[in-house]
Amino acid sequence: MAAAVSDAALAHEFPLPKILTNPASTPPTLITQGAEGRLYKTTYLLPDIACALKYRPPKPWRHPILDQRLTRHRILSEARILAKCRRDGLRVPSVYALDESAGWLMLEWIEGTPVRVNINNRLGNRTEGIEDDEELKELMRKIGMAVGKMHSIGIIHGDLTTSNMMLKPPAGDQPDNATGLEGEIVIIDLGLASGGVHDEDRAVDLYVLERAFGSTHPRAECIFNEVLEAYKKSFKQAGVALKKLEEVRMRGRKRSMLG
Amino acid sequence: MSLETVVLEHAPSSYKVYLALFRNVRNSGFLHQQLLARNADFEYAFIDASTIVSRVHLLSAVFKAVNNSVNGALKTPNVHSETVVSLSASNNISEAYRRFGVSPSTTDLFVVKITFPSDSSPVPVSADAISQHLKDNVEGDIVPPTNEIVSSIADVKAIRKNYKLNGLAWLDTIKDEVVKREEIEKLVLSGMALRGL
């Protein structure tokens, strides 16, 4: 997971969710702060089981009843989608526990680093020979297969980026060794995910990834096609979604509301 | 007598959790009867150990029950019945008792005791008193509740049925039994977490 810059300092800026104020063997660490919530690294049940706690604090600017309902709905929706993915054999963090009224969700902690970090470390300051980097291309294919698997079981991610995929190193490897490209892709942050089997939705998901990839890793754009090639082979309907992607590229993520 | 005291991460320190595992239990009919009669001396979660895949599985149910108790959100009469019901992947309370609770045919039995100070009993019952009471009332062999023993008692087939984990082709293709157990455990935990939601 991305190392928090000054986690001790950050951790004290926000009041902890009530559940984390109870005693634990190690203090929780604030990992990131998003628009909707915060992510802590903490422990589940026992000192040696690391977990991620996603907390959606109450939003004082919303009416309390509406706020409670939205939070509940979003926690449950994410948990249901994660559980479905896991049941259907897609690698996502598994759900440990949740309290939808208190606004938290405890998930399996995924070791490793976001794929973004691995790609950037691999690229270094190279400008040449990237299109011949077989290992990097293999990583692209793994991404394509993971996204294909997710789409094939009827899930649309809603925010596909190389930051929302972890590369979990093979067991026994040094954790946080972010230079290797070996390991398993674990898709994370399904907070914006939804169920969907429409080619249009799948194409938009791919388009978001393509655009995000292009701006995060401009020098690796030349090998992005590997993602799509692997995606194409990963499930039956993939070809249609890719055809749709061409349309989406022409018009952008949003459908035209004209006419 | 080995009554284990369990400290759970993020459980309030006023809550104490004790765990004991009995094998070859010969009076489960009697224990079952005490629950049905709501005998206040038998405030325990009596769990059929064959329905438990791992310690973490059981402790997850305890954690959930404790959390509900702290929040004043119990769906059942007390924290012990809540522990049994927390094991279930469905919202049907009597079905949960039947599936996970002690029955007259239970031979391997998990006993969980959760204590905390309350208005009616500001000083909770001590570990020694619990230990003695169990010794006097459970006819069986107490064994340490290690993961090895727990997983040797687990009836994985029944567990998969309880959590609707049959027909998952990817799960059946896992050759490594240890990895397979871990995957089953994770699926069980998320089934419990999402119970009826």
Side-chain angles (χ1 to χ4, degrees):
Chain A
M1 214 18 101
V5 193
S6 56
D7 35 47
L10 279 172
H12 292 289
E13 258 177 56
F14 304 105
L16 287 170
K18 188 169 156 269
I19 185 82
L20 292 185
T21 60
N22 292 326
S25 56
T26 42
T29 320
L30 183 65
I31 302 295
T32 55
Q33 146 95 22
E36 284 278 331
R38 295 171 218 148
L39 185 78
Y40 293 91
K41 181 178 183 179
T42 179
T43 43
Y44 178 59
L45 304 177
L46 305 171
D48 61 343
I49 305 179
C51 82
L53 185 133
K54 239 180 144 162
Y55 175 55
R56 292 175 180 269
K59 312 293 184 294
W61 58 87
R62 288 199 295 233
H63 186 280
I65 295 172
L66 175 67
D67 182 52
Q68 175 75 13
R69 274 168 70 169
L70 285 173
T71 300
R72 258 183 69 95
H73 180 82
R74 285 172 188 166
I75 296 270
L76 285 176
S77 150
E78 182 170 4
R80 283 194 196 108
I81 284 173
L82 287 167
K84 177 182 167 49
C85 288
R86 196 70 193 212
R87 265 188 76 89
D88 291 343
L90 174 71
R91 284 294 286 138
V92 295
S94 73
V95 178
Y96 284 158
L98 59 88
D99 187 333
E100 75 280 14
S101 308
W104 58 258
L105 178 61
M106 271 190 198
L107 304 172
E108 175 190 7
W109 182 259
I110 305 294
E111 294 295 340
T113 40
V115 170
R116 165 181 48 84
V117 173
N118 297 74
I119 295 175
N120 283 341
N121 286 353
R122 177 75 175 191
L123 290 174
N125 42 27
R126 274 196 295 162
T127 49
E128 276 164 47
I130 293 165
E131 62 276 11
D132 300 318
D133 188 336
E134 272 312 314
E135 279 175 61
L136 196 55
K137 280 158 86 175
E138 179 55 30
L139 180 66
M140 297 296 112
R141 291 190 280 271
K142 276 190 209 161
I143 294 173
M145 273 153 58
V147 176
K149 170 88 192 174
M150 179 180 72
H151 283 177
S152 75
I153 61 172
I155 299 296
I156 303 297
H157 187 283
D159 187 22
L160 275 181
T161 62
T162 49
S163 302
N164 284 338
M165 296 170 192
M166 298 290 289
L167 187 63
K168 187 186 177 197
D173 260 34
Q174 291 280 6
D176 293 330
N177 169 9
T179 49
L181 296 179
E182 241 125 81
E184 195 180 15
I185 298 284
V186 183
I187 296 178
I188 60 165
D189 196 1
L190 284 97
L192 292 172
S194 57
V197 288
H198 296 295
D199 300 308
E200 165 75 24
D201 302 337
R202 288 170 174 162
V204 170
D205 228 14
L206 290 171
Y207 180 71
V208 168
L209 177 61
E210 188 174 71
R211 292 295 296 261
F213 191 93
S215 58
T216 319
H217 316 287
R219 278 172 294 139
E221 225 176 345
C222 54
I223 55 168
F224 184 78
N225 205 38
E226 295 290 334
V227 174
L228 301 179
E229 285 296 321
Y231 176 85
K232 191 174 182 177
K233 291 180 203 136
S234 66
F235 71 110
K236 222 175 142 202
Q237 284 287 301
V240 192
L242 287 170
K243 199 93 203 131
K244 206 84 187 172
L245 174 61
E246 290 170 23
E247 252 175 61
V248 178
R249 279 187 192 128
M250 301 290 286
R251 60 145 219 259
R253 183 168 61 88
K254 295 212 165 88
R255 270 173 199 270
S256 167
M257 287 300 153
L258 297 171
Chain B
M1 172 90 186
S2 61
L3 181 73
E4 185 187 333
T5 307
V6 184
V7 179
L8 292 180
E9 300 281 276
H10 306 302
S13 48
S14 55
Y15 279 70
K16 300 262 180 291
V17 178
Y18 305 97
L19 207 61
L21 176 58
F22 292 90
R23 305 211 63 178
N24 310 311
V25 176
R26 296 174 291 278
N27 66 337
S28 40
F30 166 77
L31 300 171
H32 186 223
Q33 203 51 48
Q34 303 315 304
L35 296 185
L36 294 181
R38 296 175 195 273
N39 182 345
D41 294 337
F42 285 76
E43 266 221 18
Y44 297 105
F46 286 136
I47 292 156
D48 188 319
S50 70
T51 64
I52 302 298
V53 72
S54 65
R55 282 174 61 94
V56 163
H57 177 197
L58 180 63
L59 296 180
S60 285
V62 173
F63 181 67
K64 232 175 125 172
V66 167
N67 194 41
N68 286 352
S69 167
V70 173
N71 293 340
L74 292 179
K75 293 176 188 78
T76 62
N78 60 60
V79 72
H80 297 104
S81 51
E82 194 82 1
T83 302
V84 179
V85 168
S86 294
L87 286 166
S88 179
S90 91
N91 257 334
N92 188 328
I93 291 176
S94 61
E95 185 197 283
Y97 290 156
R98 210 166 49 241
R99 264 193 199 171
F100 301 97
V102 65
S103 78
S105 61
T106 301
T107 55
D108 297 306
L109 182 74
F110 253 124
V111 181
V112 181
K113 176 76 180 174
I114 303 167
T115 68
F116 54 94
S118 66
D119 292 341
S120 53
S121 55
V123 181
V125 56
S126 71
D128 286 342
I130 296 165
S131 205
Q132 191 57 45
H133 187 254
L134 289 176
K135 200 172 166 185
D136 293 345
N137 288 287
V138 181
E139 290 171 26
D141 312 327
I142 192 157
V143 295
T146 62
N147 256 329
E148 289 67 37
I149 297 180
V150 173
S151 71
S152 73
I153 297 172
D155 180 350
V156 178
K157 222 171 145 184
I159 292 168
R160 286 186 66 165
K161 189 167 163 272
N162 282 343
Y163 295 93
K164 299 192 174 71
L165 302 179
N166 289 318
L168 300 180
W170 65 272
L171 190 60
D172 295 318
T173 58
I174 299 174
K175 293 278 184 292
D176 187 332
E177 280 303 317
V178 178
V179 176
K180 199 172 187 169
R181 279 280 172 113
E182 284 171 7
E183 290 296 328
I184 291 175
E185 181 191 86
K186 294 246 160 74
L187 291 170
V188 164
L189 297 191
S190 67
M192 282 166 53
L194 279 158
R195 162 169 64 107
L197 295 170

